[in-house]
Amino acid sequence: MLAVFGHTNPDTDAISSALVYAHLLTRLGVPAQAYRLGDLNFETAFVLRELRMEAPPMLPALAAGTPVALVDHNESGQSAPNIAELTVTRVVDHHKLGDLTTSQPPFLRFEPVGCTGTILLKLHREAGLDVEALDAKLMLSAILSDTLHFRSPTTTQDDRDAVAFLAPVAGVTDVEAYALAMFAAKSDLGDTPAAQLLKMDYKVFPFGEPAQQWGVGVIETTNPAYVFGRKEELLRAMDEARAEDGLNGVLLSVVDILNETNRTFVLSATEEKVLREAFGVEATDGVADLGNRISRKKQIVPTLERYFAPEA
Amino acid sequence: MLAVFGHTNPDTDAISSALVYAHLLTRLGVPAQAYRLGDLNFETAFVLRELRMEAPPMLPALAAGTPVALVDHNESGQSAPNIAELTVTRVVDHHKLGDLTTSQPPFLRFEPVGCTGTILLKLHREAGLDVEALDAKLMLSAILSDTLHFRSPTTTQDDRDAVAFLAPVAGVTDVEAYALAMFAAKSDLGDTPAAQLLKMDYKVFPFGEPAQQWGVGVIETTNPAYVFGRKEELLRAMDEARAEDGLNGVLLSVVDILNETNRTFVLSATEEKVLREAFGVEATDGVADLGNRISRKKQIVPTLERYFAPEA
Ligand SMILES: [Mn+2]
Ligand SMILES: [Mn+2]
């Protein structure tokens, strides 16, 4: 049974794609089981509740050599703890290629589109399989989530085409209303502890050589005022993460989904200097205005990579 | 204009796939130009002569940041000299994933099939494009070459299906006869200098940590007696390659295509020890009988990798 899973701190794409790809592989004669590498966020919980679907179980400890399929990620730092010992046979992803290697020729399907779900829809169509309604709604939800319903600059025509194809199959007649309901669920953060808020959509990236380790969190919300009301707590959580995880820097971007803006919490002079030199922005009172740079993948991480890259 | 190229010491798949993928991308609206990273071997020259097609030009020096597409390889040691400075936007390959990384999400299409040509045919069909006769014969030739007309254990049902589809499009009525003509052309080595024979189908692999560098050549031939007649010369060429390229070991497998056997030239006690411990075979008079292990990719390299791997 092939284990299929998305990245740690799973988002809707990581969970949906694991479920959809495991189902697709099983239909294609490769028995597979979806897992997750962490707690559901509020948006994903909303999506599964809508579908009356159970969350995939947490990934158990896997013995060395166990074959696994990765979706929506490929870097070891975002994967199963012992990923280097596991046998990666398949990856479906839309991120840059990191430190993945394999000992045998794998199935790899990477496309520079807005969401893994968009690629999974192509895999169904290429295999000549009809798309079942549950799978359609999972892929639809993932695409709306990853692209912020086409607001993100990561959005491609393929993502728009996929949503147009999937919405009727999923029985979603008002896509805009469904996306807003997802985003409202995601923004309804209640009394979630600050440390958990920070890590909800959070990735650690190696930058430069020798590599610095930077934690970059994002909170996408329709209610930024709520997040700003918890700024001091969140800065404390960032400080703790930096110390506990031995990081060189931590950033937390508060993305206002509906207004498409990014205001980023800045912990200390280290991060202030990097934001000034890499993005040309000044932090005031622990907050830097990153304007419309709402995509970590496309607008934040590449700039930091170039900034930290050794001189050619 | 996207530059598309296969590995150094190009084989028929490396050349054919560069030509076919560049043409496919151009038809899909991505202008592309095929290149090669070395001289044609006799088989590939035969195939292009049959098609009255010019060889792709040698890859010129490319400025840092130039976008490139790789076919039939992904490891930097088998690619353009400054591959680390180039921007890899696409890879179509059927080898294990090595040290490739990208700074942006790429198009990757890897499948564990016998030939890149088999994957390229799928890309045509997925794009809804008809396959032109020249492209069909290039892909057909590559598949017959890489799989030794289905003799290699790397052969999959997809490769067989691809040949069945391509042969009529290519106008090849007798596939067996065409494959034998290709293999005869490949085996007609004339007075090729030994150093060139060694490097005709030759790859350097890093094994273990800290990595040893091993050169592993293969001569696939329908006329092994000819190659054995040049054994002393070839052993001298292996010795020179080891010294000049600073290698830890050099192996040269003589694969008898029609009888599906592998007798490997063994340079020194270093290689003898590795063959004994990794494969359980003894060398006699500079030759080790590796039986039916005719696939470097599937039967030689993985065993050496396991042998050199650090203890878990
Ligand atoms: Mn995603
Ligand atoms: Mn090949």
Side-chain angles (χ1 to χ4, degrees):
Chain A
M1 187 74 105
L2 185 63
V4 183
F5 50 86
H7 52 81
T8 51
N9 308 314
D11 58 11
T12 298
D13 191 21
I15 297 293
S16 291
S17 290
L19 290 165
V20 171
Y21 194 40
H23 186 216
L24 173 63
L25 287 172
T26 303
R27 291 174 75 189
L28 291 172
V30 179
Q33 163 71 44
Y35 295 98
R36 63 186 159 92
L37 297 189
D39 293 335
L40 300 188
N41 70 27
F42 291 109
E43 182 190 77
T44 313
F46 166 83
V47 168
L48 294 183
R49 218 158 43 231
E50 281 272 305
L51 290 167
R52 302 184 190 200
M53 228 179 150
E54 275 192 58
M58 280 293 286
L59 185 73
L62 297 180
T66 305
V68 298
L70 312 185
V71 290
D72 198 36
H73 76 295
N74 67 85
E75 303 201 32
S76 60
Q78 298 162 13
S79 198
N82 67 334
I83 186 69
E85 295 165 33
L86 305 176
T87 300
V88 177
T89 61
R90 293 170 180 266
V91 187
V92 183
D93 193 12
H94 66 128
H95 295 89
K96 70 193 174 73
L97 180 63
D99 59 356
L100 180 70
T101 63
T102 69
S103 55
Q104 292 286 338
F107 286 94
L108 301 185
R109 182 69 176 256
F110 284 54
E111 294 195 24
V113 293
C115 180
T116 307
T118 300
I119 308 171
L120 290 172
L121 173 59
K122 294 189 187 195
L123 293 181
H124 279 82
R125 302 180 76 176
E126 288 163 14
L129 287 176
D130 61 308
V131 178
E132 298 182 8
L134 279 182
D135 289 320
K137 194 149 180 184
L138 287 169
M139 290 186 269
L140 174 70
S141 303
I143 300 169
L144 295 173
S145 171
D146 265 13
T147 66
L148 300 173
H149 193 190
F150 309 151
R151 290 175 180 84
S152 168
T154 57
T155 308
T156 67
Q157 189 58 41
D158 287 357
D159 303 305
R160 295 174 191 273
D161 293 347
V163 165
F165 178 91
L166 290 166
V169 182
V172 174
T173 47
D174 187 339
V175 172
E176 176 66 27
Y178 179 63
L180 287 176
M182 281 175 51
F183 300 152
K186 170 189 274 187
S187 306
D188 186 14
L189 299 168
D191 53 2
T192 310
Q196 202 173 320
L197 283 186
L198 168 65
K199 299 244 172 138
M200 220 160 38
D201 179 2
Y202 178 86
K203 293 179 179 171
V204 173
F205 296 89
F207 291 131
E209 268 173 54
Q212 296 202 14
Q213 302 291 330
W214 280 64
V216 185
V218 177
I219 299 179
E220 293 168 345
T221 179
T222 55
N223 186 4
Y226 167 88
V227 183
F228 272 80
R230 300 189 59 184
K231 186 178 112 185
E232 298 310 321
E233 280 175 80
L234 283 163
L235 283 168
R236 274 198 302 280
M238 291 161 69
D239 200 22
E240 281 161 22
R242 185 168 58 172
E244 277 170 26
D245 304 338
L247 302 172
N248 297 85
V250 180
L251 295 168
L252 176 59
S253 293
V254 184
V255 168
D256 180 334
I257 298 175
L258 302 179
N259 293 302
E260 303 180 32
T261 61
N262 173 354
R263 282 173 295 165
T264 290
F265 291 166
V266 176
L267 186 55
S268 74
T270 304
E271 288 85 355
E272 273 181 34
K273 174 168 180 289
V274 169
L275 287 186
R276 182 184 310 120
E277 295 178 356
F279 294 95
V281 299
E282 288 295 338
T284 309
D285 218 11
V287 181
D289 186 344
L290 284 173
N292 64 356
R293 298 181 184 88
I294 60 177
S295 167
R296 173 173 55 198
K297 183 165 92 169
K298 202 143 181 154
Q299 297 171 304
I300 307 296
V301 167
T303 302
L304 291 173
E305 261 182 348
R306 276 192 300 276
Y307 173 75
F308 283 107
E311 295 292 323
Chain B
M1 188 74 107
L2 185 64
V4 183
F5 49 88
H7 51 81
T8 51
N9 307 314
D11 58 10
T12 299
D13 191 22
I15 298 291
S16 292
S17 291
L19 289 166
V20 171
Y21 194 39
H23 186 215
L24 173 63
L25 287 173
T26 303
R27 290 173 75 189
L28 291 172
V30 180
Q33 163 71 45
Y35 294 98
R36 64 187 160 92
L37 297 189
D39 293 335
L40 300 188
N41 70 27
F42 292 108
E43 181 190 79
T44 312
F46 166 84
V47 169
L48 294 183
R49 218 158 43 231
E50 282 272 305
L51 291 167
R52 305 186 188 196
M53 224 177 153
E54 277 193 56
M58 282 291 288
L59 185 72
L62 296 179
T66 304
V68 298
L70 312 184
V71 291
D72 198 36
H73 77 294
N74 68 85
E75 303 201 33
S76 59
Q78 299 163 13
S79 197
N82 67 334
I83 186 69
E85 295 164 34
L86 304 177
T87 301
V88 177
T89 61
R90 293 169 179 269
V91 187
V92 182
D93 194 12
H94 67 128
H95 295 89
K96 70 193 174 70
L97 180 63
D99 59 357
L100 181 70
T101 62
T102 69
S103 54
Q104 293 285 337
F107 286 92
L108 300 185
R109 181 69 177 256
F110 284 53
E111 294 195 23
V113 293
C115 180
T116 308
T118 300
I119 308 171
L120 290 173
L121 173 59
K122 294 190 186 192
L123 293 182
H124 280 83
R125 300 180 77 175
E126 290 162 12
L129 288 177
D130 60 310
V131 178
E132 299 183 6
L134 279 183
D135 289 320
K137 195 149 180 185
L138 287 168
M139 290 186 270
L140 173 70
S141 304
I143 300 168
L144 295 173
S145 171
D146 265 14
T147 66
L148 300 173
H149 195 187
F150 310 152
R151 290 173 179 85
S152 168
T154 58
T155 308
T156 67
Q157 189 56 42
D158 287 358
D159 303 304
R160 295 174 191 273
D161 292 347
V163 165
F165 178 90
L166 290 167
V169 182
V172 174
T173 48
D174 187 339
V175 171
E176 176 66 25
Y178 178 65
L180 287 176
M182 279 175 50
F183 300 152
K186 170 189 273 186
S187 306
D188 186 13
L189 298 169
D191 53 2
T192 310
Q196 203 173 319
L197 283 186
L198 168 65
K199 298 244 171 138
M200 223 162 37
D201 180 3
Y202 178 86
K203 291 179 181 173
V204 173
F205 296 89
F207 291 132
E209 270 174 50
Q212 297 201 14
Q213 301 292 328
W214 279 64
V216 186
V218 178
I219 299 179
E220 294 168 345
T221 179
T222 55
N223 186 5
Y226 167 88
V227 182
F228 272 80
R230 302 191 59 186
K231 185 179 112 185
E232 299 309 321
E233 281 174 80
L234 284 163
L235 283 167
R236 274 197 302 280
M238 290 161 70
D239 201 22
E240 281 161 22
R242 187 170 55 174
E244 277 171 26
D245 303 338
L247 302 172
N248 298 86
V250 180
L251 297 167
L252 177 60
S253 293
V254 184
V255 168
D256 181 334
I257 298 175
L258 302 179
N259 293 304
E260 304 181 29
T261 61
N262 173 354
R263 283 173 295 164
T264 291
F265 292 166
V266 176
L267 186 55
S268 74
T270 304
E271 287 86 356
E272 275 181 32
K273 175 169 182 283
V274 168
L275 287 186
R276 183 185 309 120
E277 295 180 355
F279 295 94
V281 299
E282 287 295 338
T284 310
D285 217 11
V287 181
D289 186 344
L290 284 173
N292 66 354
R293 296 179 185 93
I294 61 176
S295 167
R296 172 173 55 197
K297 183 165 93 169
K298 201 141 179 156
Q299 297 170 304
I300 307 295
V301 168
T303 302
L304 292 173
E305 260 182 348
R306 276 192 300 276
Y307 173 75
F308 283 107
E311 296 290 324

